[in-house]
Amino acid sequence: WWCQDVRENNTTRRTLDACDSDEPAASGAEALYYNTSGFENTAMGVNSLSKNTTGNYNTGIGYASGTNIATGSKNTFIGYNANTSSPGSVSNATALGAEANVTADNNFVFGNSSVVKWGFGKQTGSTNIIDFVNSTAKLTTGGVWTNASDKKLKNNFQKLDKKDVLDRIAKLDIQRWHYIKDSSDKITHIGPVAQDFYEAFKVGDDTTISTIDPAGVALLGIQQLTANDASKNEKIDEQGQEIEALRSQVNEMKQLLLSLQQSYNNCNPCAAGASSSQSTKIISVSNASLEQNIPNPFNHNTTINYTLLQKFSSAKIIITDKNGKALKEVNVSGSGKGSLNVEASTLASGAYNYSLYADGKLVDSKQMILTR
């Protein structure tokens, strides 16, 4: 060891024990070679801190460590050619590792550009960038931070009221905001502030929010929303069953009304001597249907639409007056939708009934009104 005092053959002659405490200490060819007024610098290795002139409190350990630093102070360079840009004047910076390069004040650089993994107390796994010996938390090679969450690492489990959590989420103030220390105002984030989050859920502290807690809160809220949807679906199912029951009752009432209408329309055949056993029955409305005439009332002509969903042996539409007397009978055929045009010229003003029969069974009856 020598002190930087009198240069001879690129080294000095005075021993470290003979130096003043504030004088620079150097070991190795051209270590602190150009130092002039810089003090309390330590250089170990060939060319270590060789270009330092007035910088103070610098440390260089390793071949060519910190060789480019000239006037900066409080820097640490450890490793082969651990350095700064040339010429360099950074301060309070650290470069650790072979060819590690720090270029700005108050920065710490681990390793050179070939270093892609960091293990703390262990070798980094093949799928991770950062690994710890005392935690399962890690940073994956895909850039995803993974929290430690093994059940064996946890205790004091408590069940939570999901509805209460959902209510608290609804009341939580969530806005877009910008970190004051971010250099660009364009960099923004969305979320609650720590004070409001802590007040609502009592997790963590009132200055920070972990990555775990918002996810847990959101999952509880989703579970409650799912439960709400299930309850709504159950109510919808119940209402659907009620609607089906009502629909069935309506169909029964419709069948009854059609039976009454049939009895009325069959009065004329009965008067002609037809027996009660010849009374027609109502056909299933799923096989045929009769629509209201359009237009109604009418004064020139009107159209009666009907549907036969299957081929019947016979089908016809009968128009009767208010007394049940048949005025017009038209045979219809085929399957699917059909229509019958009625001209007003053959009828007097008044109300008329028209009925659809299929295979002798009444399908439906409706009323149309003719005006002059």
Side-chain angles (χ1 to χ4, degrees):
W1 287 80
W2 293 272
C3 289
Q4 187 75 9
D5 186 17
V6 178
R7 297 189 186 89
E8 182 177 329
N9 298 323
N10 294 332
T11 61
T12 57
R13 301 297 298 170
R14 194 190 308 173
T15 63
L16 182 61
D17 291 339
C19 295
D20 294 333
S21 60
D22 62 347
E23 291 185 356
S27 175
E30 296 190 0
L32 279 170
Y33 186 78
Y34 289 102
N35 188 73
T36 55
S37 60
F39 56 87
E40 295 192 14
N41 296 298
T42 301
M44 298 178 63
V46 175
N47 286 331
S48 179
L49 299 179
S50 61
K51 295 180 182 178
N52 184 80
T53 55
T54 60
N56 308 314
Y57 314 113
N58 295 304
T59 299
I61 300 176
Y63 181 92
S65 57
T67 187
N68 287 331
I69 193 71
T71 60
S73 299
K74 298 180 180 179
N75 298 296
T76 302
F77 305 95
I78 301 176
Y80 162 75
N81 201 26
N83 220 326
T84 186
S85 299
S86 177
S89 61
V90 296
S91 294
N92 196 40
T94 299
L96 178 60
E99 295 186 322
N101 188 40
V102 62
T103 60
D105 296 349
N106 308 310
N107 274 251
F108 199 126
V109 174
F110 287 97
N112 56 39
S113 59
S114 296
V115 177
V116 294
K117 293 176 178 291
W118 291 267
F120 292 85
K122 64 178 292 187
Q123 178 64 44
T124 309
S126 61
T127 59
N128 301 326
I129 296 175
I130 298 177
D131 263 333
F132 306 88
V133 70
N134 61 337
S135 172
T136 56
K138 58 194 174 186
L139 178 65
T140 69
T141 52
V144 177
W145 177 257
T146 305
N147 295 298
S149 193
D150 192 332
K151 187 175 183 179
K152 296 190 293 291
L153 303 176
K154 305 176 182 181
N155 60 15
N156 297 333
F157 292 93
Q158 299 176 14
K159 292 289 185 181
L160 297 175
D161 185 339
K162 297 175 184 177
K163 184 178 183 304
D164 178 63
V165 170
L166 183 60
D167 290 342
R168 292 173 186 269
I169 292 174
K171 296 175 182 177
L172 189 63
D173 186 20
I174 300 176
Q175 300 185 48
R176 182 187 296 275
W177 42 264
H178 165 257
Y179 277 115
I180 296 173
K181 289 191 175 181
D182 272 342
S183 58
S184 173
D185 290 341
K186 294 181 179 179
I187 300 176
T188 61
H189 306 273
I190 295 175
V193 297
Q195 291 84 348
D196 293 343
F197 196 80
Y198 179 79
E199 180 64 26
F201 304 108
K202 295 297 185 293
V203 291
D205 57 54
D206 62 357
T207 59
T208 63
I209 300 177
S210 76
T211 57
I212 294 176
D213 296 323
V217 168
L219 287 172
L220 279 172
I222 291 170
Q223 287 182 342
Q224 181 59 41
L225 288 174
T226 302
N228 291 347
D229 288 342
S231 178
K232 289 179 181 178
N233 289 336
E234 185 176 341
K235 290 181 179 178
I236 290 173
D237 289 341
E238 292 176 355
Q239 291 173 348
Q241 293 174 4
E242 292 176 359
I243 291 172
E244 286 300 322
L246 291 172
R247 183 178 288 117
S248 178
Q249 292 177 10
V250 169
N251 286 335
E252 290 178 0
M253 294 177 66
K254 185 175 181 179
Q255 298 290 345
L256 178 60
L257 289 173
L258 288 174
S259 296
L260 294 174
Q261 183 68 51
Q262 174 189 345
S263 297
Y264 171 77
N265 289 337
N266 286 338
C267 281
N268 189 51
C270 289
S275 66
S276 60
S277 61
Q278 293 175 313
S279 255
T280 57
K281 296 182 179 179
I282 301 170
I283 194 170
S284 171
V285 293
S286 63
N287 293 328
S289 63
L290 182 67
E291 298 179 19
Q292 185 66 52
N293 62 300
I294 300 174
N296 188 43
F298 68 100
N299 55 14
H300 293 293
N301 53 55
T302 186
T303 300
I304 299 172
N305 293 312
Y306 60 90
T307 302
L308 300 173
L309 296 183
Q310 70 179 54
K311 290 186 177 181
F312 295 94
S313 299
S314 65
K316 57 186 176 181
I317 294 177
I318 299 177
I319 301 174
T320 61
D321 61 17
K322 62 181 180 180
N323 297 318
K325 180 182 179 181
L327 302 178
K328 188 173 185 179
E329 182 176 315
V330 180
N331 292 322
V332 294
S333 61
S335 61
K337 293 185 177 181
S339 62
L340 172 65
N341 187 59
V342 179
E343 295 183 359
S345 59
T346 60
L347 300 171
S349 299
Y352 297 88
N353 291 323
Y354 60 94
S355 305
L356 173 63
Y357 291 84
D359 289 343
K361 299 177 182 178
L362 177 65
V363 174
D364 199 356
S365 292
K366 297 187 183 298
Q367 187 178 74
M368 61 182 178
I369 298 175
L370 172 60
T371 61
R372 295 293 189 184

